[in-house]
Each structure stands twice: as structure tokens, then as C-alpha cells.
């Protein structure tokens, strides 16, 4: 229960407070808030239930707050990004070291339609778009940055 609470306090409650105080500061002039969720907030993850649940909460919270701001005439847009398979230190424990690491990377990449892990900069560019005026008519949406994983199935035969 302690780890569940910690994950939710950081992911869900942290985002809620961030949105709450951002609205107070931004409701007169407007702007854009981009919350970071995860592909895990869109699909079930049996080995990380608390994480997936907290990321799903961010997804729904973002949509709800976007509608709240629109209904109240606040010119604040709220959107979320949903990255997956982005090569960050978060993967280190799952990938291991040495030859084993390389084999696991290849196995994971086999299930990614684009064939490789993403880089943090790929997420940054998505956030930059949603935060910019180029997305001035975008609110309550989610941008999946996953190399095409959610577009199809990971169950494909090896070539």
C-alpha cells in the first residue's frame, strides 16, 4: 500500500495540484499546460498496476480540466503526452547489462513498428508542439509517442 500511495502522490496528485495552481495563475492571460502520462495509461500493465492506474488518471484528468477551462472561458489549453519505449534510465533495471541487455533491447525493438526505441528529444518535440501557438486549437487531446505501438499489434512474426 505504501508504494501505491507514493506512485499516486507523485503522478496523480502532483499533476492535480500542478493543474489547480496553474489555472489560478493563468486563467486571465491563458496558455498551455502539457501533462506527461504514458502509454501505460492507455493499456493495462500487469506488472505495474499502480503506475498504469496513475498514468490513466493523468490522461482523464487532463481531458476533464481542458473541458472545465473551456466551459469557464479560460484560455488555457490542457493536453497530455503518452510516451512509450523511450530510452531513459527508467529502462535500466528491465534491460540488464552486457549481451543480455542488447538481446532484450532487440526483443523490445522487434515489437515497435518503427523498429527502435525513441529518444527523450522525441517527447520534447511533442510537448513543444502542444505548448506552442501552432496547437492553438488543440485541447483535451493526447499525443502518443510510441513508435507506432498503439497503432497496431506487437504480435508480429520475426522476419
Amino acid at each position: 500500500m505504501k508504494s501505491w500511495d507514493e506512485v499516486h502522490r507523485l503522478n496523480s496528485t502532483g499533476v492535480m495540484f500542478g493543474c489547480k495552481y496553474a489555472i489560478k495563475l493563468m486563467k486571465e492571460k491563458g496558455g498551455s499546460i502539457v501533462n506527461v502520462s504514458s502509454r501505460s495509461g492507455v493499456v493495462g500493465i500487469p506488472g505495474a498496476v499502480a503506475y498504469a492506474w496513475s498514468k490513466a488518471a493523468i490522461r482523464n484528468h487532463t481531458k476533464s480540466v481542458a473541458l472545465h477551462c473551456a466551459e469557464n472561458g479560460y484560455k488555457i489549453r490542457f493536453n497530455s503526452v503518452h510516451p512509450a519505449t523511450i530510452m531513459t534510465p527508467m529502462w535500466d533495471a528491465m534491460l540488464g547489462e552486457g549481451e543480455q541487455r542488447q538481446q532484450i533491447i532487440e526483443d523490445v525493438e522487434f515489437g515497435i513498428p518503427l523498429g527502435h526505441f525513441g529518444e527523450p528529444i522525441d517527447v520534447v518535440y511533442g510537448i513543444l508542439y502542444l505548448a506552442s501557438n501552432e496547437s492553438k486549437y488543440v485541447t483535451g487531446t493526447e499525443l502518443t509517442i510510441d513508435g507506432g505501438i498503439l497503432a497496431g499489434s506487437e504480435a508480429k512474426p520475426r522476419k
Side-chain angles (χ1 to χ4, degrees), residues 83-141:
T85 59
I86 304 298
M87 188 56 81
T88 64
M90 194 170 158
W91 278 90
D92 287 342
M94 294 175 272
L95 297 176
E97 298 178 7
E99 288 181 27
Q100 175 192 10
R101 178 183 177 89
Q102 189 55 42
Q103 183 59 54
I104 293 171
I105 289 172
E106 289 174 16
D107 289 346
V108 171
E109 289 180 333
F110 182 76
I112 303 170
L114 289 183
H116 58 87
F117 272 82
E119 301 173 21
I121 193 71
D122 298 322
V123 179
V124 170
Y125 287 139
I127 292 170
L128 183 60
Y129 165 70
L130 291 171
S132 73
N133 286 333
E134 281 75 18
S135 65
K136 66 182 172 43
Y137 195 62
V138 179
T139 194
T141 196

Side-chain angles (χ1 to χ4, degrees), residues 3-22:
S3 64
W4 175 275
D5 290 341
E6 288 174 0
V7 167
H8 284 275
R9 192 169 32 259
L10 175 66
N11 291 344
S12 307
T13 307
V15 166
M16 180 274 297
F17 278 120
C19 292
K20 175 182 177 178
Y21 292 108

Side-chain angles (χ1 to χ4, degrees), residues 74-86:
Y74 305 153
K75 295 183 180 350
I76 308 170
R77 296 176 298 104
F78 280 85
N79 295 290
S80 59
V81 294
H82 300 259
T85 59
I86 304 298

